Amino acid sequence: MIRFENVSKIYPGDFSALEDINISIEQGEFVSIVGHSGSGKSTLLKLVYAEEQPTTGTVYFNDRPLDAIKIKHLPFYRRNIGTVFQDFKLLPQKTAYENVAYALEVSEGSLEEIQELVPEILDLVGMGDKMEKYPRQLSGGEQQKVCLARAFVRKPLIIIADEPTGNLDPNSTMEIMQLLLKINSMGTTVLLASHNKSIVDKINRRVIELEKGRIIRDNAKGKYAV
């Protein structure tokens, strides 16, 4: 589904964020991308959803080079991808229901579709009883569940989770990870960037480890560190 061929990314000031990356990620995989801060995890994910372009090399999605997608068509490509970040990025003036519904509204979902899918997805993440609550009325873990519902409501092919548990307590962290595993079990590819050793170890799925922009380990199943 996703393929990096000889990909490097150099930012202004000659800072090399990624160097000669070659990976393939199949549909339905759960991949943990690990490494210290500054190792290139977020840059790699930004290349997948085309927020950044490689300096050299090519990123493919279903054998289509992303650099061939015209800017005006990028929103349509990104409908294949749901994103979850460390900072929740919820709209404070909207309820949990309205935040999730907004993801469908901007992609021109019908009212009937919104009324059917939003409660279904909020129930899936355990927030069906709090859909009328505003973000300020929710805990950090609950807010992240709403973010996950918003990312998944269009049933994307890929969920990208960039340090999604960085601001959460251990209990909330495990709840979010269980939800990501549940979504993965439904056939959605999950790319998780994390520096949390314990959660990566518990997942025990494929691990790609970055160090100074290079892949130093790619295990089909494994732990954060050997």
Side-chain angles (χ1 to χ4, degrees):
M1 175 180 282
I2 302 163
R3 190 168 83 253
F4 282 59
E5 286 191 356
N6 306 315
V7 170
S8 295
K9 177 64 179 179
I10 301 173
Y11 286 106
D14 205 29
F15 171 68
S16 180
L18 293 173
E19 189 172 347
D20 197 27
I21 300 297
N22 289 278
I23 54 173
S24 292
I25 296 170
E26 301 299 326
Q27 183 175 349
E29 277 199 272
F30 191 119
V31 181
S32 296
I33 302 165
V34 305
H36 297 297
S37 179
S39 62
K41 301 188 300 296
S42 292
T43 298
L44 189 149
L45 296 182
K46 287 177 180 178
L47 291 173
V48 173
Y49 56 85
E51 182 176 321
E52 299 280 359
Q53 294 293 329
T55 305
T56 59
T58 307
V59 180
Y60 296 88
F61 176 79
N62 285 340
D63 293 324
R64 182 182 184 184
L66 295 189
D67 57 10
I69 301 175
K70 295 180 180 179
I71 292 175
K72 67 180 180 180
H73 293 147
L74 279 177
F76 297 98
Y77 162 68
R78 289 176 178 145
R79 290 182 187 181
N80 294 297
I81 302 170
T83 53
V84 183
F85 300 97
Q86 180 173 335
D87 51 337
F88 309 126
K89 300 184 186 296
L90 293 174
L91 299 170
Q93 75 279 15
K94 292 183 180 291
T95 63
Y97 179 98
E98 291 168 339
N99 265 281
V100 177
Y102 185 70
L104 291 172
E105 290 166 3
V106 297
S107 59
E108 301 177 348
S110 67
L111 179 60
E112 183 181 57
E113 185 180 27
I114 290 169
Q115 291 175 337
E116 177 183 350
L117 288 179
V118 175
E120 174 189 320
I121 296 299
L122 284 168
D123 280 338
L124 177 73
V125 301
M127 292 295 291
D129 61 338
K130 296 186 178 180
M131 64 176 67
E132 299 305 322
K133 299 288 186 181
Y134 290 90
R136 65 180 180 275
Q137 299 173 305
L138 301 174
S139 70
E142 290 170 339
Q143 289 185 61
Q144 195 62 295
K145 288 178 183 179
V146 175
C147 293
L148 191 51
R150 182 181 59 188
F152 190 57
V153 71
R154 291 177 302 183
K155 305 293 177 66
L157 297 174
I158 306 168
I159 290 287
I160 288 177
D162 192 356
E163 301 285 1
T165 62
N167 290 328
L168 303 182
D169 61 65
N171 286 339
S172 295
T173 291
M174 288 314 301
E175 288 180 354
I176 294 299
M177 296 313 303
Q178 289 301 320
L179 286 172
L180 286 171
L181 288 167
K182 184 177 183 178
I183 287 170
N184 176 244
S185 73
M186 298 166 70
T188 303
T189 304
V190 176
L191 304 183
L192 167 71
S194 180
H195 63 267
N196 188 321
K197 180 182 184 299
S198 64
I199 64 170
V200 172
D201 286 353
K202 287 177 181 177
I203 292 169
N204 196 30
R205 302 292 183 89
R206 181 181 176 187
V207 176
I208 295 174
E209 185 172 1
L210 295 174
E211 184 176 290
K212 296 180 180 179
R214 285 181 167 272
I215 294 175
I216 62 170
R217 183 165 61 100
D218 185 352
N219 290 351
K221 282 192 176 184
K223 304 295 186 181
Y224 186 105
V226 177

